[in-house]
Amino acid sequence: MVPPMLLSILIFLPLLGGVAVALLPGDGAKKQAALAITLLTFLLSLLLLVGWEEGQAGMQFVEDVAWIPDLNIRYHLGVDGISLWLVLLTTLLMPIAVAFSNRYVHRSVGAFMALMLVMEAAIIGVFLALDLVLFYVFWEFSLIPMYFLVGKWGSENRVYAALKFFLYTLAGSALMLVAILALYIQTGTFNVLELQAVDLPLGLQQWIFLAFALAFAVKVPLFPLHTWLPDAHVQAPTAGSVILAGVLLKMGTYGYLRFALPIFPQATVQYSALIGILALIGILYAALVALMQKDIKSLVAYSSVAHLGFVMLGIFALNEQGMSGAVLQMVNHGLSTGALFLLVGMLYERRHTRLLSEFGGLWKSIPVYCFFFLVVAMSSAGLPGLNGFVGEFTILLGAYASRPLFAVIGTSGIILAAWYLLTAFRKVAQGPITKPENEKLPDLSRSEVAMLAPVVILFFVIGLFPNLFLDKINPSVEALAQRPAIQMALQARDEPWLGSVSLEHIALQQESTP
Amino acid sequence: MLQLAWLLLAFPAAGALINTFLGSRFSKPTIGWIASGTVAASFVVSLGLLLGLLGLPGEERVITLPLWDWITIGDFRAPTALLIDPLSVTMALVVTGVGALIHVYAIGYMFDDERFQRFFVYLNFFVFAMLILVMSDNFLGMYVGWEGVGLASYLLIGFWFDKRDDTYGYYADAGKKAFLVNRVGDFGMALAIMILWTSLGSVTFLDVFQAAPASLSSGVATAIALLLLLAATGKSAQIPLYVWLPDAMAGPTPVSALIHAATMVTAGIYMIARTHVLWELGPSAANLAAWIGGLTALMAASIALVQVDLKKILAYSTISQLGYMVMGVGVGAYAFGIFHLITHAFFKALLFLAAGNVMHGLHGELDIRKMGGLREKMPTTYRLFLIGALALAGFPLMSGFFSKDGILLNVFGHSPLLYAIGLFTALLTAVYSFRAVFVPFWGQPRDKHLHEHAHESPPIMTRPLWVLAILAIVGGVLNLPFVLTLERWLEPAVGEPSFHPSLALEVSLLLVSAVVALAGIYLAYARYVKEIGWARRLQNALGPLQPLVEHKYYVDEFYDAAIVQPLKALARWFAEVFDPGIIDGSVHLIGRANLAAGERLRRLHNGLVPTYALSIFVGVVVLVMYLVFG
């Protein structure tokens, strides 16, 4: 039932498809072919669920062949509970982004679609690669299509934004390359699974961890490395924003879970407080900055910084609740922010402006649009019953169990999230219609509803039945959280300035109190 | 029967879904009756649950009905399950019973509104969320309902999202304010749940209450209770988070009656009663709750005395009455807190809907200074409003008399000073209730034009009110003194009463309460009907306080100046100076430095500047790293 080499198919179908699409004659055919390829990739990726072995923590669907034998570089792919949903998120958002572009992109269609497809291949490759060189190749490769998508199809300030995005991430990943080489020199392998079993000396761990952490931090982005993001988002075409926020940012958070944490456990524990603090600053700071944005796209961009702050907080809680919540929240953020960018794009195509002050009262003229906007905003604000809540709450729960103070500060972030999201909704949908242009806008078309519907349905499915997803995430996260190296480092953790207490500590206290 | 309890939630959810997707094909009455019918069906289910529980011996009246596993990560488990016990079933009866009547009323009240369909979808959604709140068997499930009703409230306060007036500003802003202030409270509940799970390893009510006495230190229990108190002050509009409720009156009147008087705002009282075990372990938090309740009751009653907008009088009255309930549960009189919650739901829904009839008959006018003599024009509404006011004022033998007296009696056992505050508030309550009767309904019309066009409301807007009126009169039998049915009924959920007053004390306080209520009504009569000199002089003597009270003690202004504006200023500085200037500025600085280096290199190699700069950078770093670690 499940074809062999499924993972390779998921990478090479869009890659070769991208090349083929560029060669097809006629824009219409190119658009249809691109949509067909992304849809087919999505359907094939669903086979991962069909062939999934429940309850297994390790890699599944593994493919491992020699690539450059002299350097022991291998073409090594695999998927586990941490990467599974990120792959599916990518394959789901891609056809939606392509369908949107089919409506609104008219310039150099072939190149646009080819770049989208190539990017899909690269992103899936990032989530599947188990060899550091292979990973690095995909990682860098994902940069190039996005660079061109922003630089060629973006808005007025696109060249600046594209270059900033490119240089910023490249600077980060250059350090990672150095770190990968250093690791190889030390251990003689690029195999991620083997590296996870190696016990590296702490001094080396610290340096290499920091190099990896910096590369990932730029991607996430972690405060204060976030300023490329609003520029890139505001200038990117809608499909670019959807993929950038929906999936590309997760490459950073995924990187921490897949590489930084398992290979450098002691260093991770050591720096977890620092990274947690940066995440918390990001949550509060980006929320406040978002509140003041006049451009709705940059509001959503800053909201991403705040939301990814939650994901980082969860990962560096270093317990099951925090990390599983973080993985789920990556998917949640991809869905809700992807949908938000789609909605902003739909508005932009109608009014050709992104300024909040240009809108108001749209609930009267385009009620269906505003209904979707509200649901998406509520998902993003973490309303219980929808997806965002499950991720956010379990992250905060994990954070509380790890460092109570972090959870207290993080929880205040959910107040601010409601503030900027409701402010955005207030300015777009509520109040009277002040601009005559807004009175006769066409409401969402059937095809636009069809783009948003799967995402919104998933909000409810994840919100009400999160265990469908967590059941597959948990075993892998559990294995990670319970690795002796991490447990021991956590036990030895000494952070009196944070008032940190471990669970055992609390249990002891309970026993001693009458 | 008990196995079908999930139908309780399924009916209103189905109503909301049907009207969302098919409502545009239905006529307005069909939409209204589907919505009302589903809530009525839930009421029938609640009655079935009541009978089911009554058929069981007292100690077996706590039943968990698991539905599915909601969130499971490692040791953390949050189920989706219903807890069927006397407390939850009582709440469900109030929510669906009063709710169904208000739904029916709203068919008439909202009939001419262009967004009629949307209104009933929201209303059904509210009932659904409220039932999740009261029926969940665990803290996280309660939290779902807790925020769900917040969303419903947000949507309904800002229902006329494009309207503005001088009282409320933009209605949409009032809705936003309600949601955000409530989120501050929700912050408390979220943290409380985290502490509970970390300390006890469960979020299920029964597990927590069983484990808490043995394994929760009083310090931790107090911390949890204080956080829950924060949550309660948000939802139940107590000091310091009550500021959203007066503005919530921007919503349509049935919403004010259902959500902002009868049901949602009582969630805090329900929650405290539900978690009473934790409050008993952290008595200082419970004591604080009692005082917050008492002071809120006093403060809000004083504001209600001077409001001129009929709905705002009722809004502050609601805050004040919720204060009584919080005071009651704060001193451990959980059953009496719930008792007052029930009677208040009857008479306050009645008062709001009667006020809605006044508003309907006067084409939106709510300023009582423009009314007068309305009892001839609206005799039925007048009678209904009078019954509500009598119950609110605590007129002897009306429902409110018994429930308020029960709370005061228990407060007396806790602290005589707090009792004095409560008693004085009762006096103010009687005065403002009858000011709201005498000024609009008695005397001469003050605005001839308005008076001429005044008319009584159609039967669909008066008949449901008679049901409420009868309940407001006889609701006291639920817990007749010396019979104590409600107290005993709630025992499995909230425990046995802790205070056992002597018969003499009970009777004498009952008499004091009756005298105070009658005195308050007479005071209002003397001032607003007879305009007797001493009553006027009494008011003049209090004149210096009037500006302070009329401006609601400047609390809104204080929050704006102390919290909202500084946060906004900080946000603006971040967004306009710090982020582009300092953070991005440093990035640009690094970029320029690289470019300058690149300029010089370009003389040697022609090519893409950044690439070269970077490759050199990388090369150097590799070399250094190799030398260090190699």
Side-chain angles (χ1 to χ4, degrees):
Chain A
M1 181 135 182
V2 178
M5 299 204 299
L6 179 59
L7 301 187
S8 290
I9 296 174
L10 292 180
I11 294 172
F12 283 97
L13 177 63
L15 186 66
L16 300 176
V19 178
V21 162
L23 300 175
L24 277 178
D27 284 357
K30 284 174 179 151
K31 287 177 174 178
Q32 280 173 6
L35 186 60
I37 291 164
T38 49
L39 277 175
L40 183 62
T41 312
F42 173 63
L43 291 176
L44 286 170
S45 69
L46 290 180
L47 291 176
L48 290 174
L49 296 177
V50 175
W52 194 258
E53 271 185 58
E54 296 292 340
Q56 201 190 311
M59 290 294 162
Q60 309 197 20
F61 302 94
V62 176
E63 295 172 31
D64 188 7
V65 291
W67 180 20
I68 308 174
D70 292 345
L71 292 171
N72 196 13
I73 297 173
R74 304 185 68 81
Y75 176 81
H76 187 182
L77 304 176
V79 58
D80 69 352
I82 293 170
S83 48
L84 170 70
W85 297 112
L86 294 171
V87 173
L88 291 175
L89 176 69
T90 312
T91 57
L92 171 72
L93 286 181
M94 223 16 120
I96 294 174
V98 167
F100 183 91
S101 310
N102 280 353
R103 255 176 92 97
Y104 296 113
V105 172
H106 308 294
R107 227 154 34 87
S108 319
V109 174
F112 186 95
M113 294 300 164
L115 287 170
M116 289 289 284
L117 287 165
V118 169
M119 188 160 63
E120 176 171 22
I123 296 169
I124 295 175
V126 165
F127 292 138
L128 295 179
L130 295 178
D131 180 284
L132 277 177
V133 174
L134 188 65
F135 166 75
Y136 188 79
V137 169
F138 283 129
W139 175 277
E140 293 291 15
F141 207 69
S142 69
L143 255 180
I144 297 159
M146 186 52 86
Y147 169 76
F148 283 112
L149 284 172
V150 177
K152 188 163 164 62
W153 286 268
S155 309
E156 53 288 336
N157 209 4
R158 56 185 176 269
V159 177
Y160 165 75
L163 200 66
K164 192 173 180 181
F165 162 76
F166 191 80
L167 288 181
Y168 220 131
T169 16
L170 195 66
S173 43
L175 274 179
M176 185 166 68
L177 179 61
V178 175
I180 290 173
L181 294 176
L183 258 182
Y184 178 71
I185 292 165
Q186 186 72 20
T187 62
T189 178
F190 290 112
N191 184 328
V192 177
L193 302 180
E194 282 172 23
L195 283 168
Q196 291 183 357
V198 175
D199 199 8
L200 295 166
L202 186 60
L204 186 70
Q205 271 198 33
Q206 284 172 333
W207 281 109
I208 307 182
F209 171 82
L210 282 178
F212 270 94
L214 194 68
F216 298 146
V218 169
K219 204 70 151 191
V220 169
L222 195 62
F223 176 91
L225 303 173
H226 62 273
T227 53
W228 63 269
L229 183 75
D231 284 314
H233 268 313
V234 170
Q235 302 302 327
T238 298
S241 294
V242 170
I243 298 305
L244 183 59
V247 202
L248 271 181
L249 304 185
K250 277 78 199 183
M251 287 166 43
T253 45
Y254 169 77
Y256 284 107
L257 276 174
R258 175 68 74 227
F259 305 101
L261 212 160
I263 304 180
F264 323 106
Q266 283 93 350
T268 303
V269 172
Q270 235 173 33
Y271 288 106
S272 61
L274 176 69
I275 294 180
I277 288 169
L278 291 177
L280 286 174
I281 295 176
I283 290 171
L284 302 181
Y285 172 84
L288 285 174
V289 177
L291 188 63
M292 287 296 146
Q293 294 308 304
K294 298 177 176 72
D295 180 314
I296 185 168
K297 240 181 156 180
S298 93
L299 186 150
V300 181
Y302 277 104
S303 87
S304 277
V305 178
H307 276 84
L308 270 293
F310 276 106
V311 175
M312 291 296 285
L313 188 66
I315 293 174
F316 285 88
L318 299 175
N319 50 31
E320 289 159 49
Q321 287 75 28
M323 289 196 286
S324 277
V327 174
L328 190 65
Q329 190 63 0
M330 289 184 215
V331 179
N332 290 337
H333 175 263
L335 293 173
S336 60
T337 307
L340 269 178
F341 276 120
L342 275 180
L343 285 164
V344 172
M346 289 168 185
L347 207 50
Y348 182 80
E349 299 298 343
R350 284 167 169 74
R351 282 290 322 282
H352 297 283
T353 177
R354 296 181 306 261
L355 288 180
L356 281 165
S357 56
E358 285 292 312
F359 302 108
L362 296 190
W363 216 345
K364 225 177 169 118
S365 52
I366 46 174
V368 178
Y369 175 89
C370 290
F371 167 77
F372 276 101
F373 197 128
L374 183 67
V375 176
V376 175
M378 281 298 151
S379 152
S380 187
L383 187 86
L386 297 176
N387 57 343
F389 171 75
V390 182
E392 241 167 50
F393 185 80
T394 48
I395 283 172
L396 289 167
L397 196 69
Y400 187 88
S402 172
R403 297 185 182 90
L405 186 63
F406 281 17
V408 174
I409 299 170
T411 308
S412 60
I414 63 173
I415 303 172
L416 297 180
W419 194 2
Y420 66 73
L421 284 161
L422 290 188
T423 301
F425 188 70
R426 165 74 181 80
K427 287 181 177 167
V428 171
Q430 296 176 313
I433 294 182
T434 47
K435 309 274 172 190
E437 305 92 302
N438 291 332
E439 264 163 25
K440 293 253 178 311
L441 291 178
D443 210 339
L444 292 188
S445 66
R446 269 163 197 275
S447 64
E448 283 171 322
V449 170
M451 289 174 216
L452 291 165
V455 177
V456 169
I457 290 170
L458 275 173
F459 289 170
F460 286 93
V461 175
I462 300 178
L464 296 175
F465 308 101
N467 278 352
L468 293 175
F469 298 78
L470 289 168
D471 282 347
K472 298 188 169 56
I473 297 170
N474 286 339
S476 300
V477 166
E478 196 177 323
L480 190 56
Q482 291 183 349
R483 290 179 42 164
I486 289 187
Q487 287 296 321
M488 278 163 61
L490 279 175
Q491 297 285 329
R493 188 171 58 154
D494 185 26
E495 298 164 350
W497 49 285
L498 282 175
S500 301
V501 277
S502 60
L503 280 175
E504 290 80 354
H505 212 101
I506 292 172
L508 283 177
Q509 275 180 343
Q510 282 161 18
E511 276 163 31
S512 61
T513 47
Chain B
M1 184 63 218
L2 296 174
Q3 296 305 312
L4 293 176
W6 57 273
L7 281 172
L8 190 62
L9 292 95
F11 278 122
L17 288 175
I18 291 171
N19 277 335
T20 303
F21 291 107
L22 303 172
S24 50
R25 297 182 202 170
F26 298 152
S27 68
K28 278 185 174 178
T30 314
I31 291 171
W33 287 109
I34 287 175
S36 313
T38 53
V39 179
S42 281
F43 179 68
V44 173
V45 177
S46 313
L47 281 177
L49 295 178
L50 175 71
L51 293 177
L53 283 190
L54 285 173
L56 296 169
E59 62 276 13
E60 285 173 27
R61 287 178 187 162
V62 179
I63 296 154
T64 305
L65 180 68
L67 297 177
W68 70 84
D69 288 334
W70 183 31
I71 306 177
T72 311
I73 300 178
D75 301 331
F76 178 74
R77 273 190 189 80
T80 302
L82 306 182
L83 181 64
I84 302 155
D85 76 346
L87 181 58
S88 66
V89 171
T90 304
M91 290 300 292
L93 281 167
V94 174
V95 171
T96 55
V98 176
L101 293 171
I102 294 174
H103 274 66
V104 172
Y105 173 89
I107 299 175
Y109 189 86
M110 298 298 288
F111 203 77
D112 297 324
D113 198 280
E114 53 176 336
R115 294 192 280 267
F116 185 87
Q117 173 193 0
R118 198 183 293 176
F119 182 80
F120 279 95
V121 170
Y122 291 168
L123 226 48
N124 267 185
F125 171 72
F126 164 74
V127 172
F128 173 63
M130 188 71 198
L131 288 171
I132 294 179
L133 197 165
V134 298
M135 296 305 296
S136 282
D137 91 318
N138 65 82
F139 279 93
L140 215 58
M142 177 166 72
Y143 189 80
V144 175
W146 193 267
E147 285 229 320
V149 293
L151 173 64
S153 163
Y154 162 77
L155 291 170
L156 284 161
I157 294 168
F159 183 72
W160 290 309
F161 56 82
D162 46 351
K163 258 170 83 170
R164 84 174 295 283
D165 63 29
D166 295 335
T167 321
Y168 300 105
Y170 277 111
Y171 290 11
D173 289 330
K176 195 174 100 181
K177 179 178 175 185
F179 195 89
L180 293 180
V181 172
N182 267 294
R183 269 247 157 150
V184 176
D186 298 352
F187 164 86
M189 181 170 284
L191 273 178
I193 298 172
M194 292 173 210
I195 302 180
L196 275 170
W197 177 72
T198 328
S199 315
L200 301 173
S202 176
V203 292
T204 309
F205 289 140
L206 297 180
D207 291 350
V208 165
F209 302 150
Q210 197 178 23
S215 35
L216 219 51
S217 69
S218 81
V220 178
T222 307
I224 295 170
L226 286 174
L227 288 165
L228 291 177
L229 180 59
L230 179 67
T233 60
K235 202 59 81 191
S236 291
Q238 299 292 293
I239 295 171
L241 295 181
Y242 69 89
V243 289
W244 63 272
L245 185 61
D247 290 358
M249 298 303 128
T253 302
V255 172
S256 308
L258 177 61
I259 301 184
H260 304 118
T263 57
M264 182 189 86
V265 288
T266 62
I269 287 86
Y270 162 77
M271 183 265 285
I272 296 176
R274 171 61 77 203
T275 59
H276 68 99
V277 175
L278 301 171
W279 298 80
E280 282 151 14
L281 292 170
S284 50
N287 187 42
L288 181 65
W291 280 93
I292 282 183
L295 292 175
T296 306
L298 176 63
M299 176 217 62
S302 71
I303 298 176
L305 271 180
V306 298
Q307 292 294 310
V308 293
D309 179 306
L310 191 55
K311 272 180 80 177
K312 288 248 172 165
I313 296 174
L314 295 178
Y316 281 102
S317 158
T318 303
I319 297 175
S320 176
Q321 296 297 306
L322 289 165
Y324 272 109
M325 298 176 214
V326 171
M327 185 163 67
V329 292
V331 301
Y334 306 107
F336 283 104
I338 299 294
F339 183 30
H340 197 52
L341 182 162
I342 297 168
T343 59
H344 177 259
F346 298 153
F347 64 70
K348 191 53 70 64
L350 172 63
L351 283 167
F352 263 113
L353 297 183
N357 283 353
V358 171
M359 196 177 171
H360 191 74
L362 298 179
H363 309 282
E365 187 55 59
L366 273 171
D367 190 336
I368 58 169
R369 290 170 305 185
K370 294 183 184 162
M371 303 173 189
L374 285 178
R375 63 177 158 169
E376 286 121 42
K377 285 278 190 170
M378 311 181 174
T380 312
T381 297
Y382 165 66
R383 280 187 210 114
L384 292 164
F385 196 91
L386 182 64
I387 292 169
L390 284 168
L392 171 60
F395 191 82
L397 304 182
M398 301 290 283
S399 61
F401 172 71
F402 291 111
S403 55
K404 194 190 293 175
D405 185 67
I407 289 177
L408 286 175
L409 178 68
N410 278 274
V411 171
F412 186 81
H414 183 79
S415 152
L417 177 60
L418 194 55
Y419 170 77
I421 292 175
L423 198 64
F424 181 62
T425 306
L427 180 75
L428 297 184
T429 308
V431 175
Y432 75 67
S433 323
F434 274 81
R435 174 173 172 258
V437 172
F438 294 141
V439 176
F441 291 102
W442 288 39
Q444 295 305 312
R446 294 180 180 79
D447 184 328
K448 283 270 177 309
H449 177 76
L450 200 63
H451 193 75
E452 272 164 26
H453 291 85
H455 60 83
E456 185 58 276
S457 298
I460 195 168
M461 291 168 69
T462 53
R463 280 186 196 143
L465 273 61
W466 280 113
V467 181
L468 290 170
I470 292 165
L471 291 169
I473 297 171
V474 304
V477 301
L478 282 176
N479 198 28
L480 269 182
F482 320 119
V483 183
L484 292 180
T485 41
L486 187 74
E487 255 186 299
R488 200 158 294 153
W489 157 247
L490 288 175
E491 251 181 43
V494 301
E496 288 176 34
S498 52
F499 178 62
H500 303 281
S502 66
L503 185 64
L505 181 68
E506 218 167 313
V507 173
S508 35
L509 290 192
L510 208 64
L511 289 174
V512 172
S513 289
V515 170
V516 164
L518 293 172
I521 295 171
Y522 178 69
L523 216 56
Y525 180 75
R527 168 65 188 83
Y528 296 105
V529 181
K530 288 286 158 192
E531 309 226 7
I532 301 172
W534 61 263
R536 201 173 260 287
R537 280 194 295 282
L538 180 67
Q539 191 183 15
N540 288 341
L542 295 171
L545 286 175
Q546 191 140 357
L548 182 68
V549 181
E550 270 176 0
H551 287 94
K552 301 162 273 179
Y553 302 101
Y554 296 96
V555 174
D556 269 309
E557 287 81 357
F558 170 75
Y559 283 164
D560 192 57
I563 300 168
V564 180
Q565 292 311 327
L567 258 183
K568 278 192 174 170
L570 180 69
R572 200 165 293 124
W573 185 74
F574 279 162
E576 286 163 14
V577 180
F578 188 74
D579 209 57
I582 297 177
I583 297 188
D584 212 30
S586 329
V587 175
H588 282 151
L589 209 65
I590 296 168
R592 261 196 293 276
N594 271 326
L595 280 182
E599 270 314 308
R600 253 169 275 144
L601 287 166
R602 184 142 71 167
R603 289 170 208 147
L604 301 175
H605 307 269
N606 255 335
L608 200 57
V609 178
T611 319
Y612 279 115
L614 265 165
S615 50
I616 288 171
F617 178 52
V618 170
V620 170
V621 175
V622 172
L623 203 67
V624 171
M625 297 284 274
Y626 189 71
L627 289 175
V628 171
F629 301 113

